Amino acid sequence: MKINVFNNENEVLNGLANYFVEIAAKSIANHGQFSVALSGGNSPKKLYELLSSPLYKDKVEWSKVHFFFGDERYVPLTDPQSNYLMAKKALLEPLGLSYKQVFPVDTSVSPEEAAKKYTVDINYYFAGVKVRFDLVLLGLGDNSHTASLFPHTPVLHDKTVSAKEVFLDNQQVYRITMTAPLINQAHHIAYLVYGEGKAIAVHHVIEDKKDIENYPAQLIKPADGDLQWFLDNSAASLLKK
Ligand code: 6PG
């Protein structure tokens, strides 16, 4: 595991954008394409806008990139809460990508069916080879969740390489998430975490005792891939080392 700490939000975004470019080039050189699972929420929006900006848009062979989602809110894909819609506006549409390159979660069916269909889509994409994303981007909630692996939810104990539905009691909403075993098969996993509001969660996940019920992001340990954290000083401010 490598922890990259940057002076501020702008520098951490550029740091991860450069890493994205590097892994994309290596993946395409190695096997002709780059499969990436995007994270949702607020933090990555600026990363996606940076990647589709004149600063970075010509640094990636976008036609060879295939986009999945590490998790999705169980809302219509036109809903402001949708991770797909956020990525579409910030990255996919500005780059003029073909819909064939993007694999959204089908939230028009039941949560359980949406998860099953997404699992089929992922397995179909990797047909004949091991399900291994080239890169999984992750964020971190201030309660130490990542993707939609939330504290005290059954999915934390799911050993299958799949996508599963999760019901969040406190929000009374469903989400669809990749399981930890699926994420952990990735070649590369990168957390993007910035802002002082995340400092305690970063400390819990990286340095605190093992407690996956309360700090689910501790589940993320790539089997034989590379895990990197991209933090700004504020998010890293409670790290002792
Ligand atoms: C989501 C994300 C989720 C996110 C964290 C942090 O769908 O919300 O996938 O895991 O990364 O909740 O979100 P912020 O970046 O908005 O703080």
Side-chain angles (χ1 to χ4, degrees), residues 202-219:
V202 168
H203 162 67
H204 284 322
V205 173
I206 292 179
E207 293 183 323
D208 219 333
K209 66 185 185 318
K210 186 172 168 58
D211 178 357
I212 63 161
E213 286 293 333
N214 286 298
Y215 314 141
Q218 289 181 338
L219 284 165

Side-chain angles (χ1 to χ4, degrees), residues 39-44 71-73 83 138-141 145-148 150 175 198:
S39 61
N42 299 313
S43 300
D71 72 326
E72 184 55 281
R73 289 84 181 277
N83 287 338
L138 294 173
L140 183 68
H145 84 263
T146 192
S148 284
F150 278 78
R175 294 214 181 171
K198 301 291 176 76

Side-chain angles (χ1 to χ4, degrees), residues 40-145:
N42 299 313
S43 300
K45 184 169 181 288
K46 291 177 181 172
L47 172 68
Y48 302 157
E49 288 167 346
L50 183 59
L51 285 169
S52 62
S53 76
L55 284 174
Y56 285 92
K57 69 180 175 63
D58 300 321
K59 294 185 175 182
V60 176
E61 273 189 275
W62 294 107
S63 63
K64 294 179 179 172
V65 183
H66 302 111
F67 299 88
F68 290 78
F69 294 84
D71 72 326
E72 184 55 281
R73 289 84 181 277
Y74 182 66
V75 294
L77 298 184
T78 52
D79 186 294
Q81 284 295 313
S82 165
N83 287 338
Y84 164 78
L85 183 64
M86 182 273 280
K88 179 182 172 187
K89 286 182 176 174
L91 182 66
L92 308 174
E93 241 170 17
L95 291 173
L97 299 178
S98 159
Y99 69 92
K100 293 175 185 167
Q101 294 174 252
V102 186
F103 299 81
V105 176
D106 177 5
T107 55
S108 67
V109 295
S110 73
E112 185 180 7
E113 190 54 32
K116 284 180 180 168
K117 284 181 75 174
Y118 209 48
T119 303
V120 167
D121 289 347
I122 293 167
N123 288 328
Y124 183 79
Y125 176 81
F126 287 102
V129 298
K130 186 173 181 180
V131 177
R132 291 197 73 182
F133 284 96
D134 292 312
L135 176 62
V136 175
L137 293 175
L138 294 173
L140 183 68
D142 55 13
N143 64 350
S144 300
H145 84 263

